[in-house]
Each structure stands twice: as structure tokens, then as C-alpha cells.
Coordinates of all heavy atoms in Angstrom, one line a residue:
M48 N -58.2 -29.0 -25.1 CA -58.1 -29.2 -23.7 C -59.1 -28.3 -23.0 O -59.3 -27.2 -23.5 CB -56.7 -28.8 -23.2 CG -56.6 -29.1 -21.7 SD -54.9 -28.7 -21.0 CE -54.0 -30.1 -21.7
P49 N -59.8 -28.8 -22.0 CA -60.8 -27.8 -21.3 C -60.2 -26.6 -20.7 O -59.0 -26.5 -20.4 CB -61.4 -28.8 -20.3 CG -61.0 -30.2 -20.5 CD -59.8 -30.0 -21.4
E50 N -61.1 -25.6 -20.6 CA -60.6 -24.4 -19.9 C -60.3 -24.6 -18.4 O -61.0 -25.4 -17.8 CB -61.6 -23.3 -20.0 CG -61.9 -22.8 -21.5 CD -60.8 -22.0 -22.0 OE1 -60.3 -21.1 -21.2 OE2 -60.4 -22.1 -23.2
P51 N -59.5 -23.9 -17.8 CA -59.3 -24.0 -16.3 C -60.6 -23.6 -15.6 O -61.4 -22.8 -16.1 CB -58.2 -22.9 -16.0 CG -57.5 -22.7 -17.3 CD -58.5 -22.9 -18.3
I52 N -60.8 -24.2 -14.5 CA -62.0 -23.9 -13.8 C -61.8 -22.6 -13.0 O -60.9 -22.4 -12.2 CB -62.3 -25.1 -12.7 CG1 -62.5 -26.4 -13.4 CG2 -63.5 -24.7 -11.8 CD1 -62.6 -27.6 -12.5
S53 N -62.8 -21.7 -13.3 CA -62.7 -20.4 -12.7 C -63.3 -20.5 -11.3 O -64.1 -21.4 -11.0 CB -63.5 -19.3 -13.5 OG -64.9 -19.7 -13.4
P54 N -63.0 -19.6 -10.4 CA -63.7 -19.5 -9.1 C -65.1 -19.5 -9.2 O -65.8 -20.1 -8.4 CB -63.0 -18.3 -8.4 CG -61.8 -18.1 -9.1 CD -62.0 -18.5 -10.5
E55 N -65.7 -18.7 -10.1 CA -67.2 -18.6 -10.2 C -67.8 -19.8 -10.6 O -68.9 -20.3 -10.2 CB -67.5 -17.5 -11.3 CG -67.0 -16.1 -10.9 CD -65.6 -15.8 -11.1 OE1 -64.9 -16.5 -11.9 OE2 -65.0 -14.9 -10.5
Y56 N -67.1 -20.6 -11.6 CA -67.6 -21.9 -12.1 C -67.6 -22.9 -10.9 O -68.5 -23.6 -10.8 CB -66.8 -22.3 -13.2 CG -67.4 -23.7 -13.9 CD1 -68.5 -23.6 -14.7 CD2 -66.8 -24.9 -13.6 CE1 -68.9 -24.8 -15.3 CE2 -67.3 -26.1 -14.1 CZ -68.4 -26.0 -15.0 OH -68.9 -27.1 -15.5
L57 N -66.5 -22.8 -10.2 CA -66.4 -23.8 -9.0 C -67.6 -23.6 -8.0 O -68.2 -24.4 -7.6 CB -65.1 -23.7 -8.4 CG -64.8 -24.5 -7.1 CD1 -64.9 -26.0 -7.6 CD2 -63.5 -24.3 -6.6
R58 N -67.8 -22.2 -7.7 CA -68.9 -21.9 -6.8 C -70.2 -22.3 -7.3 O -71.1 -22.9 -6.7 CB -68.9 -20.4 -6.5 CG -67.8 -20.0 -5.4 CD -68.0 -18.6 -5.0 NE -67.9 -17.6 -5.9 CZ -66.7 -17.1 -6.4 NH1 -65.6 -17.4 -5.9 NH2 -66.7 -16.2 -7.3
E59 N -70.5 -22.1 -8.6 CA -71.7 -22.5 -9.3 C -71.9 -24.0 -9.1 O -73.0 -24.5 -8.8 CB -71.7 -22.0 -10.8 CG -73.0 -22.5 -11.5 CD -72.8 -22.1 -13.0 OE1 -71.9 -21.4 -13.4 OE2 -73.8 -22.6 -13.7
T60 N -70.8 -24.8 -9.4 CA -70.9 -26.2 -9.3 C -71.2 -26.6 -8.0 O -72.0 -27.6 -7.8 CB -69.6 -26.9 -9.9 OG1 -69.4 -26.4 -11.1 CG2 -69.7 -28.3 -9.8
Q61 N -70.6 -26.0 -6.9 CA -70.8 -26.4 -5.5 C -72.3 -26.2 -5.2 O -72.9 -27.0 -4.4 CB -69.8 -25.6 -4.6 CG -68.5 -26.1 -4.7 CD -67.5 -25.1 -4.0 OE1 -67.7 -23.8 -3.9 NE2 -66.4 -25.6 -3.4
A62 N -72.8 -25.1 -5.6 CA -74.3 -24.7 -5.3 C -75.2 -25.8 -6.1 O -76.1 -26.2 -5.4 CB -74.6 -23.3 -5.8
I63 N -74.9 -26.1 -7.3 CA -75.8 -27.1 -7.9 C -75.7 -28.5 -7.2 O -76.6 -29.1 -7.0 CB -75.2 -27.3 -9.4 CG1 -75.6 -26.0 -10.2 CG2 -75.9 -28.5 -10.1 CD1 -75.0 -25.9 -11.6
V64 N -74.4 -28.9 -6.9 CA -74.3 -30.2 -6.2 C -75.0 -30.2 -4.8 O -75.6 -31.1 -4.5 CB -72.8 -30.5 -6.0 CG1 -72.5 -31.7 -5.0 CG2 -72.1 -30.8 -7.3
A65 N -74.9 -29.1 -4.2 CA -75.6 -29.0 -2.8 C -77.1 -29.0 -2.9 O -77.7 -29.4 -2.0 CB -75.1 -27.8 -2.1
A66 N -77.6 -28.6 -4.1 CA -79.1 -28.5 -4.2 C -79.7 -29.8 -4.4 O -81.0 -30.0 -4.3 CB -79.4 -27.5 -5.3
V67 N -79.0 -30.8 -5.0 CA -79.7 -32.1 -5.4 C -79.8 -33.0 -4.2 O -79.0 -32.9 -3.2 CB -78.9 -32.8 -6.5 CG1 -78.9 -32.0 -7.8 CG2 -77.5 -33.2 -6.1
P68 N -80.7 -34.0 -4.2 CA -80.8 -34.9 -3.1 C -79.6 -35.7 -2.8 O -78.9 -36.0 -3.7 CB -82.0 -35.9 -3.6 CG -82.7 -35.1 -4.6 CD -81.6 -34.2 -5.3
N69 N -79.4 -36.0 -1.5 CA -78.2 -36.7 -1.2 C -78.3 -38.1 -1.7 O -79.3 -38.7 -1.9 CB -78.1 -36.8 0.4 CG -77.8 -35.5 1.0 OD1 -77.1 -34.6 0.4 ND2 -78.2 -35.3 2.2
G70 N -77.1 -38.8 -1.9 CA -77.0 -40.1 -2.3 C -76.7 -41.0 -1.2 O -76.8 -40.6 0.0
P71 N -76.5 -42.3 -1.4 CA -76.2 -42.8 -2.7 C -77.7 -43.0 -3.4 O -78.7 -43.2 -2.8 CB -75.7 -44.2 -2.4 CG -76.1 -44.5 -1.1 CD -76.3 -43.2 -0.3
W72 N -77.7 -42.9 -4.7 CA -78.8 -43.1 -5.5 C -78.8 -44.5 -6.0 O -77.8 -45.0 -6.8 CB -78.8 -42.2 -6.7 CG -79.0 -40.7 -6.3 CD1 -79.4 -40.2 -5.1 CD2 -78.9 -39.6 -7.2 NE1 -79.5 -38.9 -5.1 CE2 -79.1 -38.4 -6.4 CE3 -78.6 -39.5 -8.6 CZ2 -79.1 -37.2 -7.0 CZ3 -78.5 -38.2 -9.1 CH2 -78.8 -37.0 -8.3
E73 N -79.8 -45.3 -5.7 CA -79.9 -46.7 -6.2 C -80.6 -46.8 -7.5 O -81.6 -46.0 -7.7 CB -80.6 -47.5 -5.1 CG -79.9 -47.5 -3.7 CD -78.5 -48.2 -3.9 OE1 -78.3 -49.2 -4.7 OE2 -77.6 -47.7 -3.2
P74 N -80.2 -47.7 -8.4 CA -80.9 -47.9 -9.6 C -82.4 -48.4 -9.3 O -82.6 -49.1 -8.4 CB -80.1 -49.0 -10.3 CG -78.8 -49.0 -9.7 CD -79.0 -48.5 -8.2
V75 N -83.2 -48.0 -10.3 CA -84.7 -48.5 -10.3 C -84.9 -49.1 -11.6 O -84.6 -48.7 -12.7 CB -85.6 -47.3 -10.1 CG1 -87.1 -47.8 -10.1 CG2 -85.4 -46.5 -8.8
T76 N -85.5 -50.3 -11.5 CA -85.6 -51.1 -12.7 C -87.1 -50.8 -13.3 O -88.0 -50.5 -12.6 CB -85.5 -52.6 -12.5 OG1 -86.3 -53.1 -11.5 CG2 -84.1 -52.9 -12.1
N77 N -87.3 -51.1 -14.6 CA -88.6 -50.9 -15.2 C -89.3 -52.2 -15.2 O -88.9 -53.2 -14.6 CB -88.4 -50.4 -16.7 CG -87.6 -51.3 -17.6 OD1 -87.5 -52.4 -17.3 ND2 -87.1 -50.8 -18.7
D78 N -90.4 -52.3 -16.0 CA -91.2 -53.5 -15.9 C -90.5 -54.7 -16.6 O -90.9 -55.9 -16.3 CB -92.5 -53.3 -16.6 CG -93.4 -52.3 -16.0 OD1 -93.3 -52.1 -14.7 OD2 -94.3 -51.8 -16.6
Y79 N -89.4 -54.5 -17.3 CA -88.7 -55.5 -17.9 C -87.4 -55.9 -17.2 O -86.6 -56.7 -17.6 CB -88.3 -55.1 -19.4 CG -89.5 -54.7 -20.1 CD1 -89.8 -53.4 -20.4 CD2 -90.4 -55.7 -20.6 CE1 -90.9 -53.0 -21.1 CE2 -91.5 -55.3 -21.4 CZ -91.7 -54.0 -21.6 OH -92.9 -53.6 -22.3
G80 N -87.3 -55.4 -16.0 CA -86.1 -55.6 -15.2 C -84.8 -54.9 -15.6 O -83.7 -55.2 -15.1
L81 N -85.0 -54.0 -16.5 CA -83.8 -53.2 -17.0 C -83.7 -51.9 -16.2 O -84.7 -51.4 -15.7 CB -83.9 -52.8 -18.4 CG -83.8 -54.0 -19.4 CD1 -84.2 -53.4 -20.8 CD2 -82.5 -54.6 -19.3
P82 N -82.4 -51.4 -15.8 CA -82.4 -50.2 -15.1 C -83.0 -49.0 -15.9 O -82.7 -48.8 -17.1 CB -80.8 -50.0 -15.0 CG -80.2 -50.9 -15.9 CD -81.2 -52.0 -16.2
D83 N -83.8 -48.3 -15.3 CA -84.6 -47.3 -15.9 C -84.4 -45.9 -15.3 O -84.6 -44.9 -15.9 CB -86.1 -47.6 -15.9 CG -87.0 -46.9 -16.8 OD1 -86.5 -46.4 -17.9 OD2 -88.1 -46.5 -16.4
A84 N -83.9 -45.9 -14.0 CA -83.7 -44.6 -13.3 C -82.7 -44.9 -12.3 O -82.4 -46.1 -11.9 CB -85.0 -44.1 -12.7
V85 N -82.1 -43.8 -11.8 CA -81.3 -43.8 -10.6 C -81.5 -42.6 -9.8 O -81.5 -41.5 -10.3 CB -79.8 -44.1 -10.9 CG1 -79.3 -42.8 -11.7 CG2 -78.9 -44.2 -9.7
G86 N -81.9 -42.8 -8.5 CA -82.4 -41.7 -7.7 C -83.5 -41.0 -8.4 O -84.4 -41.6 -8.9
P87 N -83.4 -39.7 -8.4 CA -84.5 -38.9 -9.1 C -84.4 -38.8 -10.6 O -85.2 -38.0 -11.2 CB -84.3 -37.5 -8.4 CG -82.9 -37.4 -8.2 CD -82.4 -38.7 -7.8
I88 N -83.5 -39.4 -11.2 CA -83.2 -39.3 -12.6 C -83.8 -40.5 -13.4 O -83.5 -41.6 -13.2 CB -81.7 -39.2 -13.0 CG1 -81.1 -38.0 -12.3 CG2 -81.4 -39.1 -14.5 CD1 -79.6 -37.9 -12.3
S89 N -84.6 -40.3 -14.4 CA -85.2 -41.3 -15.3 C -84.4 -41.1 -16.6 O -84.0 -40.1 -17.0 CB -86.6 -41.1 -15.5 OG -87.3 -41.2 -14.2
Y90 N -84.4 -42.3 -17.3 CA -83.7 -42.4 -18.6 C -84.6 -42.7 -19.8 O -85.7 -43.4 -19.6 CB -82.7 -43.6 -18.6 CG -81.6 -43.3 -17.5 CD1 -81.8 -43.8 -16.3 CD2 -80.6 -42.4 -17.8 CE1 -80.8 -43.5 -15.3 CE2 -79.7 -42.2 -16.9 CZ -79.8 -42.7 -15.6 OH -78.8 -42.4 -14.7
L91 N -84.3 -42.4 -20.9 CA -85.0 -42.9 -22.2 C -84.4 -44.3 -22.4 O -83.3 -44.5 -22.2 CB -84.6 -42.0 -23.4 CG -85.1 -40.5 -23.4 CD1 -84.4 -39.8 -24.5 CD2 -86.6 -40.6 -23.3
E92 N -85.4 -45.2 -22.6 CA -84.9 -46.5 -22.7 C -84.3 -46.9 -23.9 O -84.6 -46.3 -25.0 CB -86.2 -47.4 -22.5 CG -86.8 -47.4 -21.1 CD -87.9 -48.4 -20.9 OE1 -87.9 -49.4 -21.5 OE2 -88.9 -48.0 -20.3
C93 N -83.3 -47.7 -24.0 CA -82.6 -48.4 -25.1 C -83.3 -49.7 -25.4 O -83.6 -50.4 -24.5 CB -81.2 -48.6 -24.9 SG -80.3 -47.1 -24.5
F94 N -83.5 -49.9 -26.6 CA -84.3 -51.1 -26.9 C -83.6 -52.4 -26.5 O -84.3 -53.3 -26.1 CB -84.6 -51.2 -28.4 CG -85.6 -50.2 -28.9 CD1 -85.1 -49.2 -29.7 CD2 -86.9 -50.3 -28.5 CE1 -86.2 -48.2 -30.1 CE2 -87.8 -49.4 -28.9 CZ -87.4 -48.3 -29.7
D95 N -82.2 -52.4 -26.5 CA -81.6 -53.7 -26.2 C -81.0 -53.6 -24.8 O -80.5 -54.6 -24.2 CB -80.5 -54.0 -27.2 CG -79.4 -52.9 -27.2 OD1 -79.4 -51.9 -26.5 OD2 -78.5 -53.1 -28.1
G96 N -81.0 -52.5 -24.1 CA -80.5 -52.3 -22.7 C -79.1 -52.3 -22.6 O -78.5 -52.3 -21.5
T97 N -78.3 -52.2 -23.7 CA -76.8 -52.3 -23.6 C -76.2 -51.1 -23.0 O -75.1 -51.2 -22.4 CB -76.2 -52.6 -25.0 OG1 -76.6 -51.5 -25.9 CG2 -76.6 -53.9 -25.5
V98 N -76.8 -50.0 -23.1 CA -76.2 -48.7 -22.7 C -76.7 -48.3 -21.2 O -76.0 -47.7 -20.5 CB -76.6 -47.5 -23.7 CG1 -76.0 -46.2 -23.1 CG2 -76.1 -47.9 -25.0
Q99 N -77.9 -48.8 -20.9 CA -78.5 -48.3 -19.7 C -77.6 -48.6 -18.5 O -77.6 -47.8 -17.6 CB -79.9 -48.9 -19.5 CG -80.9 -48.4 -20.4 CD -82.1 -49.1 -20.4 OE1 -82.3 -50.3 -20.8 NE2 -83.3 -48.5 -19.9
Q100 N -77.1 -49.8 -18.3 CA -76.5 -50.1 -17.0 C -75.2 -49.2 -16.8 O -75.0 -48.8 -15.8 CB -76.0 -51.6 -16.9 CG -75.5 -51.9 -15.7 CD -76.4 -51.9 -14.5 OE1 -77.6 -52.0 -14.6 NE2 -75.9 -51.4 -13.4
D101 N -74.5 -49.0 -18.0 CA -73.3 -48.2 -17.9 C -73.7 -46.8 -17.4 O -73.0 -46.0 -16.7 CB -72.5 -48.1 -19.2 CG -71.9 -49.5 -19.5 OD1 -71.6 -50.3 -18.5 OD2 -71.7 -49.8 -20.7
V102 N -74.8 -46.2 -18.0 CA -75.2 -44.9 -17.7 C -75.6 -44.8 -16.2 O -75.3 -43.8 -15.5 CB -76.3 -44.4 -18.7 CG1 -76.9 -43.0 -18.2 CG2 -75.7 -44.3 -20.2
V103 N -76.4 -45.8 -15.9 CA -76.9 -45.7 -14.5 C -75.7 -45.8 -13.5 O -75.7 -45.0 -12.6 CB -77.8 -47.0 -14.2 CG1 -78.1 -47.2 -12.8 CG2 -79.2 -46.7 -15.0
Q104 N -74.7 -46.6 -13.7 CA -73.5 -46.7 -12.9 C -72.8 -45.4 -12.9 O -72.3 -45.0 -11.8 CB -72.6 -47.9 -13.3 CG -73.2 -49.2 -13.0 CD -72.3 -50.4 -13.5 OE1 -71.6 -50.2 -14.3 NE2 -72.5 -51.5 -13.0
F105 N -72.7 -44.8 -14.0 CA -72.0 -43.5 -14.1 C -72.7 -42.4 -13.2 O -72.1 -41.7 -12.5 CB -71.9 -42.9 -15.6 CG -71.4 -41.6 -15.7 CD1 -70.0 -41.3 -15.5 CD2 -72.3 -40.5 -15.9 CE1 -69.6 -40.0 -15.6 CE2 -71.8 -39.2 -15.9 CZ -70.5 -39.0 -15.8
V106 N -74.0 -42.3 -13.4 CA -74.8 -41.3 -12.6 C -74.7 -41.7 -11.1 O -74.5 -40.7 -10.3 CB -76.2 -41.3 -13.2 CG1 -77.1 -40.3 -12.3 CG2 -76.2 -40.7 -14.6
Q107 N -74.8 -42.9 -10.8 CA -74.9 -43.4 -9.4 C -73.5 -43.0 -8.8 O -73.4 -42.5 -7.7 CB -75.1 -44.9 -9.3 CG -75.1 -45.4 -7.9 CD -75.4 -46.9 -7.9 OE1 -75.2 -47.6 -8.9 NE2 -75.9 -47.4 -6.8
H108 N -72.4 -43.3 -9.5 CA -71.1 -43.0 -9.0 C -70.8 -41.4 -9.0 O -70.3 -40.9 -8.0 CB -70.0 -43.6 -10.0 CG -68.6 -43.3 -9.5 ND1 -68.0 -43.9 -8.4 CD2 -67.7 -42.4 -10.0 CE1 -66.8 -43.4 -8.2 NE2 -66.6 -42.5 -9.2
A109 N -71.3 -40.7 -10.0 CA -71.1 -39.3 -10.1 C -71.7 -38.5 -8.9 O -71.1 -37.6 -8.5 CB -71.6 -38.8 -11.5
R110 N -72.9 -39.0 -8.5 CA -73.5 -38.4 -7.4 C -72.7 -38.3 -6.1 O -72.7 -37.3 -5.3 CB -74.9 -39.0 -7.0 CG -75.6 -38.3 -5.8 CD -75.9 -36.9 -6.1 NE -76.3 -36.2 -4.9 CZ -75.5 -35.4 -4.2 NH1 -74.2 -35.2 -4.5 NH2 -76.0 -34.8 -3.2
E111 N -71.8 -39.3 -5.9 CA -71.0 -39.3 -4.7 C -69.6 -38.7 -5.1 O -69.0 -38.1 -4.3 CB -70.8 -40.8 -4.3 CG -72.0 -41.5 -3.8 CD -72.6 -40.9 -2.5 OE1 -71.8 -40.5 -1.6 OE2 -73.9 -40.6 -2.5
A112 N -69.2 -38.9 -6.3 CA -67.8 -38.6 -6.7 C -67.7 -37.0 -7.0 O -66.7 -36.4 -6.6 CB -67.3 -39.3 -7.9
L113 N -68.7 -36.4 -7.6 CA -68.6 -35.0 -8.0 C -68.4 -34.1 -6.7 O -67.4 -33.3 -6.8 CB -69.8 -34.6 -8.8 CG -69.8 -33.2 -9.3 CD1 -68.6 -32.9 -10.2 CD2 -71.1 -32.8 -10.0
P114 N -69.1 -34.3 -5.6 CA -68.8 -33.4 -4.5 C -67.4 -33.7 -4.0 O -66.8 -32.7 -3.5 CB -69.9 -34.0 -3.4 CG -71.0 -34.5 -4.3 CD -70.3 -35.1 -5.5
R115 N -66.9 -34.8 -4.0 CA -65.5 -35.1 -3.5 C -64.5 -34.4 -4.5 O -63.6 -33.8 -4.0 CB -65.3 -36.6 -3.5 CG -66.1 -37.3 -2.5 CD -65.9 -38.8 -2.5 NE -64.5 -39.1 -2.0 CZ -64.1 -40.3 -1.9 NH1 -64.8 -41.4 -2.3 NH2 -62.8 -40.6 -1.4
Y116 N -64.7 -34.5 -5.8 CA -63.9 -33.8 -6.7 C -63.8 -32.3 -6.5 O -62.9 -31.7 -6.5 CB -64.2 -34.3 -8.1 CG -63.6 -35.5 -8.5 CD1 -64.6 -36.5 -9.0 CD2 -62.3 -36.0 -8.4 CE1 -64.1 -37.8 -9.3 CE2 -62.0 -37.3 -8.6 CZ -62.9 -38.2 -9.1 OH -62.5 -39.5 -9.4
V117 N -65.1 -31.7 -6.4 CA -65.2 -30.4 -6.2 C -64.5 -29.8 -4.9 O -63.8 -28.8 -4.9 CB -66.7 -29.9 -6.3 CG1 -66.9 -28.5 -5.8 CG2 -67.3 -30.1 -7.7
G118 N -64.7 -30.7 -3.9 CA -64.1 -30.4 -2.6 C -62.5 -30.4 -2.8 O -61.8 -29.6 -2.2
E119 N -62.0 -31.4 -3.5 CA -60.7 -31.5 -3.7 C -60.0 -30.3 -4.4 O -59.0 -29.8 -4.1 CB -60.3 -32.8 -4.3 CG -58.8 -33.1 -4.5 CD -58.1 -33.2 -3.2 OE1 -58.6 -33.5 -2.1 OE2 -56.8 -32.9 -3.2
V120 N -60.8 -29.9 -5.5 CA -60.3 -28.7 -6.2 C -60.2 -27.5 -5.2 O -59.3 -26.8 -5.3 CB -61.3 -28.4 -7.4 CG1 -61.0 -27.0 -8.0 CG2 -61.1 -29.4 -8.4
S121 N -61.3 -27.4 -4.3 CA -61.2 -26.2 -3.4 C -60.0 -26.3 -2.4 O -59.3 -25.4 -2.1 CB -62.5 -26.3 -2.6 OG -63.6 -25.9 -3.4
R122 N -59.8 -27.6 -2.0 CA -58.6 -27.7 -1.1 C -57.3 -27.5 -1.8 O -56.4 -26.9 -1.2 CB -58.6 -29.2 -0.4 CG -59.7 -29.4 0.6 CD -59.6 -30.8 1.3 NE -59.9 -31.9 0.3 CZ -61.2 -32.2 0.1 NH1 -62.2 -31.6 0.7 NH2 -61.5 -33.2 -0.7
Q123 N -57.2 -27.9 -3.0 CA -55.9 -27.7 -3.7 C -55.7 -26.3 -4.0 O -54.6 -25.8 -3.8 CB -55.9 -28.5 -5.1 CG -55.9 -30.0 -4.9 CD -54.7 -30.5 -4.3 OE1 -53.5 -30.0 -4.6 NE2 -54.7 -31.6 -3.5
R124 N -56.8 -25.6 -4.4 CA -56.6 -24.2 -4.6 C -56.3 -23.4 -3.4 O -55.5 -22.5 -3.3 CB -58.0 -23.6 -5.2 CG -58.1 -23.8 -6.6 CD -59.3 -23.0 -7.2 NE -59.2 -23.2 -8.6 CZ -60.1 -22.8 -9.4 NH1 -61.1 -22.0 -8.9 NH2 -60.1 -23.0 -10.6
N125 N -56.8 -23.8 -2.2 CA -56.4 -23.3 -0.9 C -55.0 -23.4 -0.6 O -54.3 -22.5 -0.2 CB -57.4 -23.8 0.1 CG -58.0 -22.7 1.1 OD1 -58.0 -21.6 0.7 ND2 -58.5 -23.2 2.2
L126 N -54.5 -24.7 -0.8 CA -53.2 -25.0 -0.5 C -52.2 -24.2 -1.4 O -51.3 -23.7 -1.0 CB -53.0 -26.6 -0.7 CG -51.6 -27.0 -0.5 CD1 -51.1 -26.8 1.0 CD2 -51.5 -28.6 -0.8
I127 N -52.5 -24.1 -2.7 CA -51.7 -23.3 -3.6 C -51.7 -21.8 -3.1 O -50.6 -21.3 -3.1 CB -52.2 -23.4 -5.0 CG1 -52.1 -24.8 -5.6 CG2 -51.6 -22.3 -5.9 CD1 -52.7 -25.1 -6.9
R128 N -52.8 -21.3 -2.7 CA -52.8 -19.9 -2.3 C -51.9 -19.7 -1.0 O -51.1 -18.9 -0.9 CB -54.2 -19.5 -2.0 CG -54.4 -18.0 -1.7 CD -55.9 -17.6 -1.6 NE -56.8 -18.7 -1.3 CZ -57.7 -19.2 -2.1 NH1 -57.9 -18.8 -3.2 NH2 -58.5 -20.2 -1.7
V129 N -52.0 -20.7 -0.1 CA -51.1 -20.6 1.1 C -49.7 -20.7 0.8 O -48.9 -20.0 1.2 CB -51.6 -21.7 2.2 CG1 -50.6 -21.9 3.3 CG2 -52.9 -21.4 2.7
M130 N -49.4 -21.7 -0.1 CA -48.0 -21.9 -0.6 C -47.4 -20.6 -1.3 O -46.3 -20.3 -1.1 CB -47.9 -23.1 -1.3 CG -48.1 -24.4 -0.5 SD -48.1 -25.9 -1.5 CE -46.4 -26.1 -1.8
E131 N -48.2 -20.0 -2.1 CA -47.8 -18.8 -2.8 C -47.6 -17.7 -1.8 O -46.6 -17.0 -1.9 CB -48.8 -18.4 -3.8 CG -49.0 -19.2 -5.1 CD -50.1 -19.0 -6.0 OE1 -51.1 -18.2 -5.6 OE2 -50.0 -19.4 -7.2
Q132 N -48.4 -17.5 -0.8 CA -48.2 -16.5 0.2 C -46.9 -16.8 1.0 O -46.1 -15.9 1.2 CB -49.4 -16.4 1.1 CG -50.6 -15.9 0.5 CD -51.9 -16.0 1.4 OE1 -51.9 -16.7 2.4 NE2 -53.0 -15.4 1.0
R133 N -46.6 -18.0 1.4 CA -45.5 -18.4 2.1 C -44.2 -18.1 1.2 O -43.2 -17.7 1.7 CB -45.5 -19.9 2.6 CG -46.5 -20.0 3.7 CD -46.5 -21.5 4.2 NE -47.4 -21.6 5.2 CZ -47.8 -22.9 5.7 NH1 -47.2 -23.9 5.3 NH2 -48.6 -22.9 6.7
L134 N -44.2 -18.5 -0.1 CA -43.1 -18.3 -1.0 C -42.9 -16.8 -1.0 O -41.7 -16.4 -1.0 CB -43.4 -18.9 -2.3 CG -42.3 -18.7 -3.3 CD1 -41.1 -19.3 -2.9 CD2 -42.8 -19.3 -4.7
A135 N -43.9 -16.0 -1.2 CA -43.8 -14.6 -1.3 C -43.1 -13.9 0.0 O -42.2 -13.1 -0.1 CB -45.1 -13.9 -1.6
Q136 N -43.5 -14.5 1.1 CA -43.0 -14.0 2.4 C -41.5 -14.4 2.5 O -40.7 -13.6 2.9 CB -43.8 -14.6 3.6 CG -45.1 -14.1 3.8 CD -45.9 -14.8 4.9 OE1 -45.5 -16.0 5.3 NE2 -47.0 -14.3 5.3
H137 N -41.2 -15.6 2.0 CA -39.9 -16.1 2.1 C -38.9 -15.3 1.2 O -37.8 -14.9 1.6 CB -39.8 -17.6 1.6 CG -38.4 -18.2 1.7 ND1 -37.7 -18.5 2.9 CD2 -37.7 -18.6 0.7 CE1 -36.6 -19.0 2.5 NE2 -36.4 -19.1 1.2
E138 N -39.5 -15.0 0.0 CA -38.7 -14.2 -0.9 C -38.5 -12.8 -0.4 O -37.4 -12.2 -0.6 CB -39.3 -14.2 -2.3 CG -39.2 -15.5 -3.1 CD -39.9 -15.5 -4.4 OE1 -40.7 -14.6 -4.7 OE2 -39.8 -16.5 -5.1
R139 N -39.4 -12.2 0.2 CA -39.4 -10.8 0.8 C -38.3 -10.9 1.9 O -37.5 -10.0 2.0 CB -40.7 -10.3 1.4 CG -41.6 -9.8 0.3 CD -42.8 -9.1 0.9 NE -43.6 -9.8 1.7 CZ -44.7 -10.6 1.4 NH1 -45.0 -10.7 0.1 NH2 -45.3 -11.2 2.2
A140 N -38.3 -11.9 2.8 CA -37.4 -12.1 3.9 C -35.9 -12.2 3.3 O -35.0 -11.8 4.0 CB -37.7 -13.3 4.7
K141 N -35.8 -12.8 2.1 CA -34.4 -12.9 1.5 C -34.0 -11.7 0.7 O -33.1 -11.8 0.1 CB -34.4 -14.2 0.7 CG -34.4 -15.5 1.5 CD -34.4 -16.6 0.6 CE -33.1 -16.9 -0.1 NZ -33.0 -18.0 -0.8
G142 N -34.9 -10.6 0.8 CA -34.5 -9.4 0.0 C -34.9 -9.4 -1.4 O -34.2 -8.8 -2.3
G143 N -35.9 -10.3 -1.8 CA -36.4 -10.4 -3.1 C -35.6 -11.4 -4.0 O -35.8 -11.3 -5.2
A144 N -34.7 -12.2 -3.5 CA -34.0 -13.1 -4.4 C -35.0 -14.0 -5.1 O -35.9 -14.5 -4.5 CB -33.0 -13.9 -3.5
G145 N -34.8 -14.2 -6.4 CA -35.8 -15.0 -7.1 C -35.3 -16.2 -7.7 O -34.5 -16.2 -8.6
H146 N -35.6 -17.3 -7.2 CA -35.5 -18.7 -7.7 C -34.1 -18.9 -8.5 O -34.1 -19.3 -9.6 CB -36.6 -18.9 -8.8 CG -38.0 -18.7 -8.2 ND1 -38.6 -19.5 -7.3 CD2 -39.0 -17.7 -8.5 CE1 -39.7 -19.1 -7.0 NE2 -40.0 -17.9 -7.7
G147 N -33.0 -18.7 -7.6 CA -31.8 -19.1 -8.2 C -31.2 -18.2 -9.3 O -30.3 -18.6 -9.9
R148 N -31.7 -17.1 -9.4 CA -31.2 -16.2 -10.5 C -30.1 -15.3 -10.0 O -29.9 -14.9 -8.9 CB -32.3 -15.2 -11.0 CG -33.4 -16.0 -11.8 CD -34.4 -15.1 -12.3 NE -35.7 -15.8 -12.3 CZ -36.8 -15.2 -12.4 NH1 -36.9 -13.9 -12.3 NH2 -37.8 -15.9 -12.4

């Protein structure tokens, strides 16, 4: 299983995402009509073209999806932090009673 995302890694990812050109990135075809690039990214060609379209669609989708996922991780972390603070305040107000013990 992957390691949890650290705050530093999240900040690094946000900076990387913010530095690339905005999307959407449209596919660019080569001289044979096969997708050869999307946005500023070019690909090594596959002789039969079977992999290219899937890769192009992935990269095209990722350019829009990755910022949304990174933003959602930030929002969720913020919400967890707020909820933890509220829970701690609530427990302090109750004299430290802990979770039905």
C-alpha cells in the first residue's frame, strides 16, 4: 500500500501542478493520424498505435483531474483538522471524558 501523503509532498505536488500550462490539453496527431502528443507532452510512438490513445486520454484527463484531487486532499485535511479541534474542545468541556469509557 502506498505511504500516506505528507504535507510536504502535498505542497510539492501543488507547486508542480501549478507550474504546468493550463488545460484542457488536446491530443495532437502525427503524420499517420495517430495521437502523438497531448498539450506540451510528446510520446514515443508504438508501431501499432494500440497504446497511444489510452495514454493520451490518461494524460489529458490527469491534467484536469490531478489539481482537483490535490485540492480535495487539502480540503479533507482541513476538515479533519477542524473536526479534531472541535472534538478536543468538546472533550475539554466535558471534563476530559473519553469516547464512552
Side-chain angles (χ1 to χ4, degrees):
M48 182 179 290
E50 293 288 321
I52 296 173
S53 69
E55 296 79 20
Y56 185 80
L57 182 58
R58 282 191 296 276
E59 178 184 350
T60 303
Q61 288 169 326
I63 290 169
V64 168
V67 297
N69 290 330
W72 290 352
E73 296 301 322
V75 177
T76 57
N77 62 19
D78 293 340
Y79 304 101
L81 295 171
D83 193 38
V85 62
I88 300 173
S89 295
Y90 298 95
L91 294 174
E92 293 185 36
C93 300
F94 291 110
D95 62 4
T97 59
V98 177
Q99 286 173 293
Q100 188 60 40
D101 292 336
V102 172
V103 167
Q104 286 176 341
F105 171 78
V106 172
Q107 184 180 21
H108 178 76
R110 177 60 192 101
E111 298 294 319
L113 185 59
R115 294 176 70 183
Y116 286 122
V117 169
E119 185 60 25
V120 168
S121 295
R122 284 187 289 280
Q123 294 293 326
R124 283 196 173 175
N125 228 14
L126 179 59
I127 290 168
R128 189 173 21 249
V129 168
M130 292 175 74
E131 287 173 340
Q132 290 170 350
R133 288 182 182 171
L134 180 60
Q136 289 172 346
H137 179 70
E138 288 177 352
R139 282 193 299 273
K141 290 178 70 174
H146 306 292
R148 293 185 210 154

